[in-house]
Amino acid sequence: MSDETTGRLLAVSDLHVGYAENKSVVDRLRPTTDSDWLIVAGDVAERVAEIEGTLDLLSQRFAQVVWVPGNHELWTHEKDRVKARGEERYRLLVESCRKLGVLTPEDPYPIWRGIGGPVRIVPLFLLYDYTFRPSGTRNKDEALRVAYNAGVVCSDEFLLHPDPHPSREAWCHARITETEARLTALDDDLPTVLVNHYPLVRTPTDVLYHPEFAQWCGTERTADWHLRFRARCVVYGHLHIPRITHHDGVPFHEVSIGYPREWRRHGHPHGLLRQVLSPETAGVVR
């Protein structure tokens, strides 16, 4: 029997296994001990069968997998035989995860007791609300106009449906309200590992080559969550800029693999899997 106190908490995101080269990368992902847990911070794939197949594979390798949805999982894609939209699609994926033993934002928050623990792992599904607007814009309409004029428009505008919510930002606000209440009700003071597909603060988006894209990258309403909810660290993806930044002394790990054209150019400077907790500082698995 493995000793859970020796396990490592590892993280990755933006696997995009619809690309054959990325699927081969996923085939190389392995734990370092029998007790390692793996956080998957969204954008596994677009098609339900590929999402389920990948999470099934990883759940057989790692002692526990924790998943949060990215925007790509929520797309209703013409190439996917599953045509569920919005909330229905999200709930379908949650049920698939439960059958696989994969934890989601809808499950009780687990406590990690391995290296760097104990901490409470908090998988989040929060979306975005167009508040990371381009400079000089005052509202969503102006922000979108700037993006369309620049030719920088996220495919979410065509593929991510918010049903039954009236808009993506309304869905975001509903998720924030529900999640904030749940976090506030926690009855202990354990530190947390906050896991979201999007960064909880805007600053990481400042380095985007196309700043217009930031409006699809989060919400100003979570800017203090890493402080309010005792984050030991924050794990996210989406930006395809793997790195570690610090905000108010809290490490934020962007753990994405990204598209083949990106990692072929830059490699995997932080390794394929990131160790996000250690006794002293964040480590890297190569």
Side-chain angles (χ1 to χ4, degrees):
M1 182 178 294
S2 62
D3 179 2
E4 67 171 6
T5 63
T6 66
R8 297 205 274 181
L9 184 61
L10 307 173
V12 71
S13 76
D14 296 78
L15 298 172
H16 294 292
V17 300
Y19 293 90
E21 291 165 279
N22 279 38
K23 185 171 287 188
S24 68
V25 168
V26 171
D27 287 342
R28 292 155 50 196
L29 301 182
R30 293 290 194 283
T32 61
T33 77
D34 291 341
S35 301
D36 288 356
W37 285 23
L38 180 65
I39 292 168
V40 181
D43 278 7
V44 173
E46 291 82 29
R47 290 185 282 188
V48 168
E50 288 181 322
I51 299 166
E52 292 174 336
T54 302
L55 292 177
D56 185 18
L57 174 68
L58 295 174
S59 69
Q60 293 179 47
R61 294 178 177 174
F62 293 84
Q64 180 66 63
V65 173
V66 180
W67 167 83
V68 301
N71 53 315
H72 282 241
E73 282 103 335
L74 299 174
W75 286 1
T76 303
H77 202 284
E78 62 179 9
K79 295 182 179 179
D80 192 352
R81 63 178 179 79
V82 178
K83 302 304 181 185
R85 293 161 55 119
E87 189 84 42
E88 180 186 4
R89 186 176 185 85
Y90 171 60
R91 297 294 169 177
L92 180 154
L93 292 170
V94 168
E95 288 307 311
S96 295
C97 285
R98 285 178 172 162
K99 292 175 184 177
L100 298 172
V102 173
L103 297 177
T104 77
E106 304 310 308
D107 296 308
Y109 301 140
I111 297 176
W112 166 255
R113 301 186 187 279
I115 293 173
V119 298
R120 190 183 301 277
I121 300 178
V122 179
L124 303 167
F125 169 40
L126 302 175
L127 283 165
Y128 52 84
D129 62 0
Y130 301 90
T131 51
F132 290 0
R133 292 188 291 270
S135 176
T137 61
R138 297 167 295 178
N139 52 48
K140 174 187 174 182
D141 289 342
E142 291 183 6
L144 284 175
R145 188 177 306 117
V146 167
Y148 273 89
N149 288 341
V152 180
V153 181
C154 183
S155 295
D156 290 5
E157 294 297 309
F158 316 103
L159 298 175
L160 202 168
H161 306 287
D163 312 20
H165 305 275
S167 64
R168 281 176 287 276
E169 60 267 36
W171 194 4
C172 171
H173 293 166
R175 292 296 311 184
I176 288 172
T177 298
E178 176 184 340
T179 307
E180 191 170 29
R182 190 174 168 194
L183 285 167
T184 302
L186 290 174
D187 59 0
D188 59 47
D189 59 357
L190 272 179
T192 63
V193 173
L194 300 180
V195 182
N196 193 43
H197 182 60
Y198 309 95
L200 298 180
V201 299
R202 178 169 183 164
T203 307
T205 70
D206 290 346
V207 298
L208 288 175
Y209 185 76
H210 296 289
E212 301 87 357
F213 191 77
Q215 61 192 294
W216 291 283
C217 295
T219 169
E220 296 283 4
R221 292 181 58 176
T222 59
D224 65 349
W225 280 30
H226 59 293
L227 298 176
R228 288 179 58 198
F229 301 121
R230 306 174 302 282
R232 180 75 58 79
C233 69
V234 174
V235 177
Y236 70 101
H238 189 58
L239 302 186
H240 294 196
I241 307 173
R243 59 179 178 154
I244 305 171
T245 57
H246 291 79
H247 307 278
D248 302 300
V250 178
F252 278 56
H253 297 265
E254 207 281 11
V255 296
S256 60
I257 297 295
Y259 299 128
R261 67 176 183 271
E262 296 165 332
W263 57 257
R264 277 199 304 262
R265 185 167 63 248
H266 301 298
H268 304 288
H270 293 276
L272 294 178
L273 297 178
R274 189 86 54 83
Q275 183 178 348
V276 297
L277 290 177
S278 69
E280 298 174 355
T281 185
V284 172
V285 179
R286 297 199 182 277

